[in-house]
């Protein structure tokens, strides 16, 4: 079975709204605009990585356990009372 056949079969299982979203995305990929969006996001990620590397080289890093604990604390602070 070809990838096209599989893709069409999968597309048929989606709601009409989602089918249209997929078709719109395919149309977008066929334009030159997608490349500009991709390049812009790629450059943004490159800059974020450079910032992270620089911070790491300067010793400005936090270990994963600390970050996880901080995120859990923030989540608990912002959770609605009925979830607690």
């Amino acid at each position: 079975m070809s990838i096209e056949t599989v893709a069409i079969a999968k597309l048929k299982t989606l709601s009409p709204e989602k089918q249209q979203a997929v078709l719109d995305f395919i149309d977008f990929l066929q334009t030159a605009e997608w490349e500009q969006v991709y390049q812009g996001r790629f450059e943004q990620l490159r800059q974020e990585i450079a910032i992270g590397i620089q911070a790491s080289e300067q010793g400005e890093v936090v270990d994963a356990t600390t970050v996880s604990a901080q995120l859990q604390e923030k989540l608990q602070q912002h959770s609605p009372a009925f979830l607690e």
Side-chain angles (χ1 to χ4, degrees), residues 6-63:
V6 172
I8 291 170
K10 180 66 176 170
L11 185 64
K12 288 180 180 180
T13 66
L14 301 174
S15 69
E17 295 82 17
K18 289 188 179 186
Q19 287 179 8
Q20 188 59 50
V22 170
L23 294 173
D24 290 344
F25 183 69
I26 291 169
D27 288 342
F28 172 72
L29 290 177
Q30 292 175 335
T31 68
E33 184 181 354
W34 80 268
E35 201 167 334
Q36 293 171 344
V37 170
Y38 171 79
Q39 290 296 333
R41 181 64 181 135
F42 184 76
E43 185 56 37
Q44 182 182 5
L45 288 171
R46 182 180 297 189
Q47 290 172 0
E48 290 174 8
I49 290 168
I51 290 168
I53 290 171
Q54 182 180 12
S56 176
E57 288 171 347
Q58 295 174 356
E60 300 172 2
V61 292
V62 180
D63 66 89

